[in-house]
Amino acid sequence: MADAALRLKSLLEQLLGAELPLRIRAWDGSRTGPPGAPTLVVRNRRAVRRLLWKPGELGLARAWVAGDLDIEGDFYAALGLLSGLVWERADTRSALAVLRDAPSRAALLGLVRLAGLPLPPAPPREEIRRTRGRVHSRRSDKRAISHHYDVGNAFYELVLGPSMVYSCAYWPDPDATLEQAQHDKLDLVCRKLALQPGQRLLDVGCGWGSMAIHAARAYGVRVVGITLSQEQAAYARKRVADAGLTDRVEIRVQDYRDVADGPYDAISSIGMAEHVGTEKYLEYAQDLYGLLAPGGRLLNHQIARRPLPDESAYALDGFIDAYVFPDGELAPVGTTVTQLERAGFEVRDVESLREHYALTLRRWVGNLEDRWERAVRLTGPGRARVWRLYMAACALGFEHNRLGINQVLAVRTPDPGRSGMPLRARTWN
């Protein structure tokens, strides 16, 4: 009798103390759950073993990346339902509490019997292998950046589109193309920095060179772009040459801590500060402050999280740390502003683009889904599944105000207090 789905549903509901809002289709063909809901496809018993050995987010992620779990129906709706069940429940019980509770203990044993021989499955090969050493050292940061960005430029072309900008776009018109919205974001940054012909711009975490090329071509500045990714640098240098801008744009493989040819008139840091880490953030801010000329401006474009009642309880997201951004840390926007001020900056403007990032991510997911077979050929099914889950889950995070994204404009105001800012700051709008 094919009844694995019904048994799995019953056992999981006993453990979670809540009704499962998704349908389940199990490896034996059985189905159960609310009609019309998205379906969680449990392809094999190994998926159950993964959840037994790593309950919660990481176990689900491993099963998803390995292809042991799948989703049929509305992907975003399914992730939203799972989020409410697994990630957002305030009453999630510890493993010890489950074992002490007789009915839950019985349900757990039932899952063990359903899963078969309960040996821990090996993690998918896409999961980063941890090595000993200091976090956020030059070596560990370079390794983390390589894990994320050296996936292959063709894969990023597929996801990001012709703009090759891997950060939140700016959508004055929500019906605009992704390319137009990314152009508008780059131009917004240039206007906030008040770039003028002949000035020097340092683009920290320059990616594939889009900001450097736009600033040099549209505003006549001389740009140094730095990245830790060899693949990004090679790609960016070719784009710079193709644009005829080699006399104005230099792309380096360099850590921001090693830049020593200031002063610069302006610095853009777009989607890079998330890699810095809490312990190194003040150093990051101080280094950028030291590279700016008096009166120079910094535009720091950075993802934020909601503050916690006890900030010492902050922990890295298990899935993102293991598969996407190793050692990446998010901070509340207030913490970022404080650290910039401690470094000496005068913060003049903070603009939230939270809804803009949700729109951006949904476009990236659409690009990936529309070109799924090519993505799998380029990077393998596991890595493609990592990116689909990561981007879709983040889109929901921004939509539901669990994540934010902010552009912080700061100035190295000289001692007399002349910031160079107009009385009405937002002249760029």
Side-chain angles (χ1 to χ4, degrees):
M1 179 178 179
D3 64 350
L6 186 60
R7 291 171 61 198
L8 191 55
K9 176 177 182 293
S10 175
L11 293 168
L12 288 175
E13 288 180 342
Q14 289 180 56
L15 277 175
L16 293 168
E19 185 175 347
L20 281 177
L22 290 85
R23 291 182 61 78
I24 292 180
R25 177 161 64 82
W27 57 88
D28 61 355
S30 59
R31 302 168 183 258
T32 189
T39 300
L40 182 66
V41 181
V42 186
R43 296 195 182 280
N44 49 54
R45 298 176 190 271
R46 185 172 57 246
V48 184
R49 291 201 292 274
R50 290 190 187 279
L51 292 173
L52 284 169
W53 282 95
K54 282 289 181 183
E57 180 178 353
L58 188 56
L60 282 169
R62 285 178 171 176
W64 169 263
V65 174
D68 300 328
L69 289 179
D70 207 345
I71 290 172
E72 292 178 352
D74 189 320
F75 190 58
Y76 290 100
L79 290 183
L81 292 169
L82 281 172
S83 175
L85 190 67
V86 177
W87 290 284
E88 296 176 18
R89 284 171 54 86
D91 60 340
T92 300
R93 294 179 297 170
S94 67
L96 183 59
V98 168
L99 291 174
R100 285 174 175 169
D101 179 68
S104 297
R105 187 166 61 247
L108 189 63
L109 292 173
L111 282 175
V112 171
R113 288 192 291 270
L114 185 63
L117 187 65
L119 295 176
R125 64 182 179 86
E126 292 78 10
E127 186 168 316
I128 190 170
R129 302 300 186 259
R130 292 294 180 185
T131 58
R132 293 182 178 180
R134 290 188 300 116
V135 175
H136 296 300
S137 66
R138 284 168 171 77
R139 181 178 180 182
S140 68
D141 281 352
K142 189 174 182 66
R143 185 171 59 246
I145 292 295
S146 177
H147 174 85
H148 187 73
Y149 291 105
D150 292 342
V151 178
N153 293 325
F155 177 76
Y156 279 100
E157 287 176 335
L158 181 151
V159 173
L160 304 180
S163 68
M164 286 301 281
V165 179
Y166 182 37
S167 55
C168 173
Y170 180 58
W171 303 85
D173 176 7
D175 296 322
T177 64
L178 175 61
E179 290 67 42
Q180 182 62 50
Q182 290 292 14
H183 172 276
D184 289 345
K185 187 273 298 298
L186 297 177
D187 207 64
L188 177 65
V189 172
C190 291
R191 296 198 307 274
K192 287 184 176 182
L193 290 172
L195 297 180
Q196 301 294 324
Q199 288 184 331
R200 297 186 75 211
L201 169 69
L202 176 64
D203 187 28
V204 182
C206 66
W208 293 270
S210 299
M211 174 64 190
I213 291 170
H214 181 79
R217 185 160 50 198
Y219 289 85
V221 297
R222 291 173 291 130
V223 188
V224 171
I226 60 172
T227 175
L228 294 179
S229 167
Q230 295 283 354
E231 288 196 25
Q232 281 187 337
Y235 190 98
R237 287 168 183 151
K238 183 179 185 305
R239 292 181 73 197
V240 168
D242 291 345
L245 294 169
T246 52
D247 60 329
R248 279 184 275 169
V249 178
E250 178 188 0
I251 304 296
R252 304 173 184 168
V253 178
Q254 188 175 37
D255 192 291
Y256 70 91
R257 290 164 284 199
D258 296 328
V259 177
D261 61 345
Y264 289 86
D265 300 291
I267 298 177
S268 54
S269 179
I270 305 173
M272 178 271 173
E274 298 88 343
H275 296 287
V276 171
T278 302
E279 292 186 4
K280 296 290 185 179
Y281 202 92
L282 181 58
E283 177 186 334
Y284 156 81
Q286 290 170 334
D287 284 349
L288 298 192
Y289 183 87
L291 287 167
L292 272 175
R297 298 185 186 183
L298 164 70
L299 192 287
N300 189 74
H301 176 113
Q302 181 177 343
I303 298 172
R305 61 174 172 83
R306 303 292 296 175
L308 299 173
D310 177 10
E311 279 294 312
S312 66
Y314 172 66
L316 302 182
D317 180 278
F319 165 61
I320 291 179
D321 188 50
Y323 288 95
V324 187
F325 281 115
D327 303 330
E329 296 181 47
L330 301 182
V333 63
T335 301
T336 296
V337 167
T338 296
Q339 294 290 64
L340 290 172
E341 290 182 328
R342 288 180 64 197
F345 282 105
E346 179 187 5
V347 172
R348 295 300 301 245
D349 189 77
V350 179
E351 182 175 7
S352 172
L353 300 178
R354 178 172 64 82
E355 292 87 353
H356 295 252
Y357 217 163
L359 289 170
T360 306
L361 284 155
R362 282 183 177 262
R363 296 295 181 94
W364 290 342
V365 172
N367 284 345
L368 178 60
E369 292 177 339
D370 290 344
R371 302 164 177 83
W372 183 256
E373 291 184 1
R374 175 165 167 73
V376 169
R377 289 197 300 271
L378 286 171
T379 194
R383 186 61 65 95
R385 290 170 72 85
V386 165
W387 277 81
R388 187 184 182 209
L389 176 60
Y390 155 63
M391 293 190 298
C394 284
L396 292 175
F398 286 104
E399 288 170 356
H400 296 163
N401 194 26
R402 294 193 295 272
L403 294 171
I405 178 82
N406 303 282
Q407 288 191 348
V408 179
L409 180 64
V411 181
R412 179 172 175 169
T413 302
D415 289 340
R418 300 186 186 95
S419 69
M421 297 288 295
L423 291 177
R424 179 182 177 273
R426 291 192 171 182
T427 55
W428 48 81
N429 287 341

